[in-house]
Amino acid sequence: MALENHSTINEFILLGLSADPHIQALCFVLFLQIYFLTMTGNLMLLLVTRADPHLHTPMYFFLSHLSFQDICFSSVTVPKLLENLLSQKKTITVKGCLAQVFFLFMSGATEVGLLAVMAYDRFAAICHPLLYGQVMNSLLCKRLALGSWGLGFLNALLNILSAMNLEFCGDYIIPHYSCDLPSLFPLSCSDLSPSFTVMLCSSLYGFGTSFLIFYSYARIVSTILGISSSSGRSKAFSTCSSHLTIVLLFYGSAFLRYLMPVSGSPLELIFSVQYSVVTPLVNPLIYSLKNNEVKAAVKRTLRKYLQC
């Protein structure tokens, strides 16, 4: 199980997004701006939800965890992508590649856990408003957040332990800008069945969380349709619209990315960029632009610090 098993190949070549130097320069500027905006937006949302007392509620508690998670998610792939866009030698060591695989799995699994927890929070708030304060107490919120991070770590650990037994020989070119497990399978000369089985089992976690989200929103929609006043229905739906938009964006791009065969095609790269680069960027924008409470909290926080 040791990393020394990878004796045939010590590093891989990441082909990246394009071989054209002019396109690489444009991509570097674009992704550098995206990374800067991702860090700025998520850090601001994280600080605002922590600093403003009006946002000390379960929904924004989970949102702060999602913002921190998006910072980690984007940092797994974008810095290496930026480095390779400037470098002639677009290589990554086997150890570095496996480390990237581990943190990608952990980030993705943690994110789906947090999205499921946030769906349950909306379900409790809309379907059981009188019991909401008792159900979503501080201890339960901390346990749900910790459980999301713990299951994400366990998911990544199981996958990386099986991947560490793979031996790579022959071709060492990855037709991608980052390492992930499906991209490594064609390069291995080992038996892939254990790793494939573990990855398949871990994907059940993603399907399980998506089912919980679907069930929560089915109950939410049923409850909203039962509200007599149109203003009440509009207010109830507005509390879910931001989260539902993020769910559709994340799950849609993730399923399209991992259901496609590994080929390095432009369409596959587009879905990968949307999944691992664009989604962490737009999450804070969606919550900031579509949520009046967040916009008011940002104004209060900025006014407070500008006065200081």
Side-chain angles (χ1 to χ4, degrees), residues 12 73 76-77 92-109 152 155-164 166 168 174 178-185 199 258:
F12 300 113
F73 200 4
V76 173
T77 56
I92 184 171
T93 63
V94 171
K95 293 180 180 180
C97 191
L98 291 176
Q100 198 172 63
V101 169
F102 174 82
F103 287 110
L104 272 176
F105 266 101
M106 182 175 176
S107 298
N155 187 293
L157 181 63
L158 293 175
N159 278 278
I160 201 62
L161 287 178
S162 64
M164 288 170 66
L166 297 178
F168 303 99
I174 299 177
S178 66
C179 292
D180 59 5
L181 209 49
S183 298
L184 295 182
F185 285 161
M199 190 178 74
Y258 285 103

Side-chain angles (χ1 to χ4, degrees), residues 122-135 223:
R122 293 299 82 207
F123 161 75
I126 294 176
C127 298
H128 304 285
L130 299 179
L131 300 175
Y132 178 69
Q134 300 176 6
V135 173
T223 302

Side-chain angles (χ1 to χ4, degrees), residues 48-213:
V48 167
T49 53
R50 295 292 186 180
D52 195 295
H54 296 84
L55 301 185
H56 290 176
T57 62
M59 182 174 78
Y60 296 107
F61 171 77
F62 296 129
L63 180 59
S64 67
H65 279 266
L66 185 66
S67 295
F68 180 73
Q69 159 58 28
D70 283 333
I71 292 173
C72 299
F73 200 4
S74 183
S75 298
V76 173
T77 56
V78 179
K80 186 61 180 178
L81 170 61
L82 293 173
E83 177 191 340
N84 285 346
L85 287 171
L86 291 180
S87 175
Q88 294 294 327
K89 187 181 179 182
K90 306 179 188 302
T91 60
I92 184 171
T93 63
V94 171
K95 293 180 180 180
C97 191
L98 291 176
Q100 198 172 63
V101 169
F102 174 82
F103 287 110
L104 272 176
F105 266 101
M106 182 175 176
S107 298
T110 302
E111 182 126 353
V112 298
L114 289 172
L115 290 176
V117 166
M118 293 172 75
Y120 175 73
D121 172 70
R122 293 299 82 207
F123 161 75
I126 294 176
C127 298
H128 304 285
L130 299 179
L131 300 175
Y132 178 69
Q134 300 176 6
V135 173
M136 299 302 295
N137 56 67
S138 176
L139 181 60
L140 178 62
C141 290
K142 291 177 181 177
R143 287 177 175 175
L144 289 174
L146 182 62
S148 299
W149 286 97
L151 289 173
F153 176 80
L154 180 62
N155 187 293
L157 181 63
L158 293 175
N159 278 278
I160 201 62
L161 287 178
S162 64
M164 288 170 66
N165 285 320
L166 297 178
E167 292 195 19
F168 303 99
C169 52
D171 195 6
Y172 55 95
I173 297 175
I174 299 177
H176 215 276
Y177 62 87
S178 66
C179 292
D180 59 5
L181 209 49
S183 298
L184 295 182
F185 285 161
L187 308 181
S188 174
C189 50
S190 305
D191 180 17
L192 297 176
S193 55
S195 295
F196 186 77
T197 302
V198 172
M199 190 178 74
L200 187 62
C201 291
S202 66
S203 67
L204 296 177
Y205 173 65
F207 284 106
T209 54
S210 64
F211 173 77
L212 291 175
I213 294 173

